[in-house]
PDB file of all heavy atoms in Angstrom:
ATOM      1  N   HIS A 908      19.682  25.067 186.702  1.00 97.00           N
ATOM      2  CA  HIS A 908      18.927  23.832 186.650  1.00 97.00           C
ATOM      3  C   HIS A 908      17.638  23.997 187.414  1.00 97.00           C
ATOM      4  O   HIS A 908      17.684  24.364 188.620  1.00 97.00           O
ATOM      5  CB  HIS A 908      19.812  22.693 187.252  1.00 97.00           C
ATOM      6  CG  HIS A 908      19.192  21.346 187.107  1.00 97.00           C
ATOM      7  ND1 HIS A 908      19.046  20.690 185.926  1.00 97.00           N
ATOM      8  CD2 HIS A 908      18.692  20.502 188.090  1.00 97.00           C
ATOM      9  CE1 HIS A 908      18.478  19.496 186.108  1.00 97.00           C
ATOM     10  NE2 HIS A 908      18.228  19.380 187.435  1.00 97.00           N
ATOM     11  N   ASN A 957      30.327  32.237 193.755  1.00 94.00           N
ATOM     12  CA  ASN A 957      31.076  31.152 194.391  1.00 94.00           C
ATOM     13  C   ASN A 957      30.773  29.795 193.710  1.00 94.00           C
ATOM     14  O   ASN A 957      31.699  29.041 193.409  1.00 94.00           O
ATOM     15  CB  ASN A 957      30.727  31.068 195.894  1.00 94.00           C
ATOM     16  CG  ASN A 957      31.516  29.974 196.610  1.00 94.00           C
ATOM     17  OD1 ASN A 957      31.160  28.819 196.555  1.00 94.00           O
ATOM     18  ND2 ASN A 957      32.600  30.371 197.281  1.00 94.00           N
ATOM     19  N   ASN A1055      36.291  40.868 208.736  1.00 88.00           N
ATOM     20  CA  ASN A1055      37.387  40.650 207.796  1.00 88.00           C
ATOM     21  C   ASN A1055      36.832  40.374 206.380  1.00 88.00           C
ATOM     22  O   ASN A1055      37.207  39.405 205.720  1.00 88.00           O
ATOM     23  CB  ASN A1055      38.246  39.489 208.270  1.00 88.00           C
ATOM     24  CG  ASN A1055      37.527  38.180 208.350  1.00 88.00           C
ATOM     25  OD1 ASN A1055      36.307  38.126 208.547  1.00 88.00           O
ATOM     26  ND2 ASN A1055      38.276  37.095 208.257  1.00 88.00           N
ATOM     27  N   ARG A1086      50.445  24.234 186.497  1.00 82.00           N
ATOM     28  CA  ARG A1086      50.741  24.910 187.759  1.00 82.00           C
ATOM     29  C   ARG A1086      49.523  24.815 188.727  1.00 82.00           C
ATOM     30  O   ARG A1086      49.697  24.572 189.943  1.00 82.00           O
ATOM     31  CB  ARG A1086      51.077  26.425 187.535  1.00 82.00           C
ATOM     32  CG  ARG A1086      51.351  27.194 188.766  1.00 82.00           C
ATOM     33  CD  ARG A1086      51.859  28.608 188.404  1.00 82.00           C
ATOM     34  NE  ARG A1086      51.849  29.454 189.565  1.00 82.00           N
ATOM     35  CZ  ARG A1086      50.895  30.254 189.984  1.00 82.00           C
ATOM     36  NH1 ARG A1086      49.785  30.321 189.235  1.00 82.00           N
ATOM     37  NH2 ARG A1086      50.999  30.964 191.063  1.00 82.00           N
ATOM     38  N   VAL A1088      47.320  22.450 188.814  1.00 92.00           N
ATOM     39  CA  VAL A1088      47.279  21.078 189.280  1.00 92.00           C
ATOM     40  C   VAL A1088      48.320  20.885 190.427  1.00 92.00           C
ATOM     41  O   VAL A1088      48.028  20.263 191.464  1.00 92.00           O
ATOM     42  CB  VAL A1088      47.553  20.053 188.113  1.00 92.00           C
ATOM     43  CG1 VAL A1088      47.915  18.670 188.649  1.00 92.00           C
ATOM     44  CG2 VAL A1088      46.355  20.024 187.168  1.00 92.00           C
ATOM     45  N   THR A1116      55.457  15.636 189.387  1.00 93.00           N
ATOM     46  CA  THR A1116      54.047  15.911 189.121  1.00 93.00           C
ATOM     47  C   THR A1116      53.318  14.656 188.735  1.00 93.00           C
ATOM     48  O   THR A1116      52.246  14.328 189.208  1.00 93.00           O
ATOM     49  CB  THR A1116      53.861  17.006 188.056  1.00 93.00           C
ATOM     50  OG1 THR A1116      54.535  18.212 188.480  1.00 93.00           O
ATOM     51  CG2 THR A1116      52.392  17.305 187.854  1.00 93.00           C
ATOM     52  N   GLU A1122      49.372   8.957 192.365  1.00 97.00           N
ATOM     53  CA  GLU A1122      48.925   8.623 193.699  1.00 97.00           C
ATOM     54  C   GLU A1122      47.539   9.161 193.963  1.00 97.00           C
ATOM     55  O   GLU A1122      46.694   8.488 194.591  1.00 97.00           O
ATOM     56  CB  GLU A1122      49.907   9.191 194.764  1.00 97.00           C
ATOM     57  CG  GLU A1122      49.669   8.646 196.165  1.00 97.00           C
ATOM     58  CD  GLU A1122      49.676   7.119 196.242  1.00 97.00           C
ATOM     59  OE1 GLU A1122      50.512   6.518 195.566  1.00 97.00           O
ATOM     60  OE2 GLU A1122      48.841   6.565 196.971  1.00 97.00           O
ATOM     61  N   LEU A1153      35.809  25.703 200.269  1.00 84.00           N
ATOM     62  CA  LEU A1153      35.524  26.921 199.504  1.00 84.00           C
ATOM     63  C   LEU A1153      34.012  27.192 199.407  1.00 84.00           C
ATOM     64  O   LEU A1153      33.641  28.316 199.106  1.00 84.00           O
ATOM     65  CB  LEU A1153      36.113  26.803 198.093  1.00 84.00           C
ATOM     66  CG  LEU A1153      37.635  26.645 198.032  1.00 84.00           C
ATOM     67  CD1 LEU A1153      38.118  26.658 196.594  1.00 84.00           C
ATOM     68  CD2 LEU A1153      38.358  27.811 198.801  1.00 84.00           C
ATOM     69  N   GLU A1159      38.896  28.143 203.896  1.00 77.00           N
ATOM     70  CA  GLU A1159      40.328  28.431 204.039  1.00 77.00           C
ATOM     71  C   GLU A1159      40.756  29.515 203.088  1.00 77.00           C
ATOM     72  O   GLU A1159      41.691  30.241 203.359  1.00 77.00           O
ATOM     73  CB  GLU A1159      41.090  27.124 203.821  1.00 77.00           C
ATOM     74  CG  GLU A1159      42.575  27.232 203.932  1.00 77.00           C
ATOM     75  CD  GLU A1159      43.273  25.909 203.649  1.00 77.00           C
ATOM     76  OE1 GLU A1159      42.896  24.874 204.244  1.00 77.00           O
ATOM     77  OE2 GLU A1159      44.186  25.906 202.779  1.00 77.00           O
ATOM     78  N   LEU A1185      60.536  44.275 194.689  1.00 84.00           N
ATOM     79  CA  LEU A1185      59.625  44.686 193.601  1.00 84.00           C
ATOM     80  C   LEU A1185      59.036  46.107 193.883  1.00 84.00           C
ATOM     81  O   LEU A1185      58.958  46.933 192.996  1.00 84.00           O
ATOM     82  CB  LEU A1185      58.507  43.682 193.469  1.00 84.00           C
ATOM     83  CG  LEU A1185      57.569  43.827 192.292  1.00 84.00           C
ATOM     84  CD1 LEU A1185      58.305  43.857 190.949  1.00 84.00           C
ATOM     85  CD2 LEU A1185      56.507  42.709 192.322  1.00 84.00           C
ATOM     86  N   ASP A1233      50.116  49.056 202.412  1.00 87.00           N
ATOM     87  CA  ASP A1233      48.985  48.148 202.596  1.00 87.00           C
ATOM     88  C   ASP A1233      48.436  47.875 201.191  1.00 87.00           C
ATOM     89  O   ASP A1233      49.014  48.234 200.199  1.00 87.00           O
ATOM     90  CB  ASP A1233      47.923  48.764 203.495  1.00 87.00           C
ATOM     91  CG  ASP A1233      47.396  50.093 202.968  1.00 87.00           C
ATOM     92  OD1 ASP A1233      47.756  50.543 201.864  1.00 87.00           O
ATOM     93  OD2 ASP A1233      46.616  50.760 203.710  1.00 87.00           O
ATOM     94  N   GLU A1234      47.293  47.191 201.128  1.00 77.00           N
ATOM     95  CA  GLU A1234      46.761  46.756 199.815  1.00 77.00           C
ATOM     96  C   GLU A1234      46.407  47.960 198.966  1.00 77.00           C
ATOM     97  O   GLU A1234      46.690  47.980 197.737  1.00 77.00           O
ATOM     98  CB  GLU A1234      45.491  45.887 200.027  1.00 77.00           C
ATOM     99  CG  GLU A1234      45.031  45.200 198.779  1.00 77.00           C
ATOM    100  CD  GLU A1234      43.971  44.144 199.066  1.00 77.00           C
ATOM    101  OE1 GLU A1234      43.616  43.990 200.276  1.00 77.00           O
ATOM    102  OE2 GLU A1234      43.510  43.473 198.119  1.00 77.00           O
ATOM    103  N   LEU A1247      52.679  54.050 183.425  1.00 79.00           N
ATOM    104  CA  LEU A1247      53.910  54.625 182.847  1.00 79.00           C
ATOM    105  C   LEU A1247      54.494  53.704 181.778  1.00 79.00           C
ATOM    106  O   LEU A1247      54.906  54.139 180.676  1.00 79.00           O
ATOM    107  CB  LEU A1247      54.967  54.897 183.950  1.00 79.00           C
ATOM    108  CG  LEU A1247      54.666  56.027 184.931  1.00 79.00           C
ATOM    109  CD1 LEU A1247      55.662  56.017 186.062  1.00 79.00           C
ATOM    110  CD2 LEU A1247      54.627  57.376 184.179  1.00 79.00           C
ATOM    111  N   ASN A1274      51.375  36.658 176.355  1.00 79.00           N
ATOM    112  CA  ASN A1274      51.223  38.093 176.139  1.00 79.00           C
ATOM    113  C   ASN A1274      52.446  38.606 175.382  1.00 79.00           C
ATOM    114  O   ASN A1274      53.388  37.839 175.031  1.00 79.00           O
ATOM    115  CB  ASN A1274      51.077  38.841 177.503  1.00 79.00           C
ATOM    116  CG  ASN A1274      52.127  38.523 178.495  1.00 79.00           C
ATOM    117  OD1 ASN A1274      53.343  38.647 178.174  1.00 79.00           O
ATOM    118  ND2 ASN A1274      51.796  38.003 179.645  1.00 79.00           N
ATOM    119  N   THR A1347      80.919  42.363 180.145  1.00 41.00           N
ATOM    120  CA  THR A1347      80.429  42.581 181.477  1.00 41.00           C
ATOM    121  C   THR A1347      81.387  43.341 182.327  1.00 41.00           C
ATOM    122  O   THR A1347      82.577  43.217 182.144  1.00 41.00           O
ATOM    123  CB  THR A1347      80.025  41.255 182.155  1.00 41.00           C
ATOM    124  OG1 THR A1347      81.203  40.422 182.143  1.00 41.00           O
ATOM    125  CG2 THR A1347      78.926  40.527 181.472  1.00 41.00           C
TER     126      THR A1347
END
Side-chain angles (χ1 to χ4, degrees):
H908 185 69
N957 181 278
N1055 62 333
R1086 177 173 171 267
V1088 166
T1116 303
E1122 190 57 38
L1153 298 184
E1159 180 181 308
L1185 187 57
D1233 58 7
E1234 192 168 1
L1247 291 172
N1274 53 55
T1347 53

